[in-house]
Amino acid sequence: FICDWKSDIINRDSLVLFRAIKPNFEISAYIEKIKCVRLRNIIAKIRLSSHMLNIEYGRHLNIERNERKCILCHKNEVEDEFHFVLICSFFVVLRKKYINKHYYIKPSMFKLVQLLNSDNENILKKLSLFCKHAFKLRLDTLNNNR
């Protein structure tokens, strides 16, 4: 089973982030640390790319990966989890409120993986609150612009 699991992760383009944050078949810290199911599910959605960011939405529409840009900021970058959590200027106020500046000052994929794999309950709760509010703000903004 574990060999099949690893093979599936390696062979699926949609699991790029998951490959980085979950190299071993074991329980992730956020599952045990976050008791609130709603907040735990929000982190799971980011980790599993089960969301409506353009990186995932565009994949379902067969849009080339490099064309799945963020339409909320003017950085002309792909709207993936890294961009959403640590870079997008549209969420700067929320980011400052919920995420330790260590992660978003000189952001890197390494820091995103470190954040998502944290075993600190407070960091994980704040990350889930950031994602909760940022997803809502994103959806409300996109719906208002239609």
Side-chain angles (χ1 to χ4, degrees), residues 4 14 16-17 22 27 29 43-44 46 50 52-53 68 90 102 109 114-115 127 133 140 143-144:
D4 288 344
S14 62
V16 172
L17 176 62
K22 189 81 170 156
I27 294 177
I43 290 183
I46 283 288
S50 177
M52 293 300 290
L53 298 179
R68 302 175 200 169
F90 191 77
H102 159 76
M109 190 61 158
Q114 187 181 46
L115 177 61
L127 172 62
H133 294 299
D140 291 347
N143 285 339
N144 287 337

Side-chain angles (χ1 to χ4, degrees), residues 17 20-21 46-47 81-83 85-87 95 99-119 123-124 127:
L17 176 62
I21 61 174
I46 283 288
R47 290 172 61 99
E81 298 85 359
F82 174 66
H83 178 83
V85 174
L86 298 180
I87 296 185
R95 191 173 297 115
I99 297 178
N100 185 300
K101 68 180 178 179
H102 159 76
Y103 297 104
Y104 63 83
I105 300 297
K106 296 186 180 178
S108 67
M109 190 61 158
F110 175 79
K111 287 182 180 181
L112 178 63
V113 169
Q114 187 181 46
L115 177 61
L116 291 170
N117 281 337
S118 176
D119 61 0
I123 288 172
L124 291 167
L127 172 62

Side-chain angles (χ1 to χ4, degrees), residues 2-56:
I2 294 173
C3 288
D4 288 344
W5 175 80
K6 285 187 177 188
S7 177
D8 285 347
I9 291 170
I10 290 167
N11 294 320
R12 293 186 57 192
D13 290 338
S14 62
L15 295 177
V16 172
L17 176 62
F18 191 75
R19 265 194 301 274
I21 61 174
K22 189 81 170 156
N24 300 313
F25 187 78
E26 59 190 20
I27 294 177
S28 299
Y30 81 96
I31 293 173
E32 297 177 327
K33 296 288 183 177
I34 300 180
K35 304 300 181 209
C36 176
V37 174
R38 286 187 185 134
L39 295 180
R40 190 169 56 231
N41 286 345
I42 291 168
I43 290 183
K45 286 180 182 261
I46 283 288
R47 290 172 61 99
L48 296 169
S49 298
S50 177
H51 48 62
M52 293 300 290
L53 298 179
N54 284 335
I55 190 67
E56 189 62 18

Side-chain angles (χ1 to χ4, degrees), residues 54-105:
N54 284 335
I55 190 67
E56 189 62 18
Y57 185 70
R59 185 176 69 81
H60 293 286
L61 297 176
N62 293 318
I63 297 171
E64 291 294 322
R65 182 179 175 82
N66 63 336
E67 294 300 319
R68 302 175 200 169
K69 309 278 183 173
C70 178
I71 56 175
L72 297 174
C73 71
H74 301 290
K75 294 185 182 285
N76 197 32
E77 293 182 0
V78 171
E79 186 188 39
D80 59 8
E81 298 85 359
F82 174 66
H83 178 83
F84 177 75
V85 174
L86 298 180
I87 296 185
C88 186
S89 57
F90 191 77
F91 303 113
V92 71
V93 173
L94 286 173
R95 191 173 297 115
K96 285 181 179 179
K97 182 175 181 179
Y98 292 110
I99 297 178
N100 185 300
K101 68 180 178 179
H102 159 76
Y103 297 104
Y104 63 83
I105 300 297

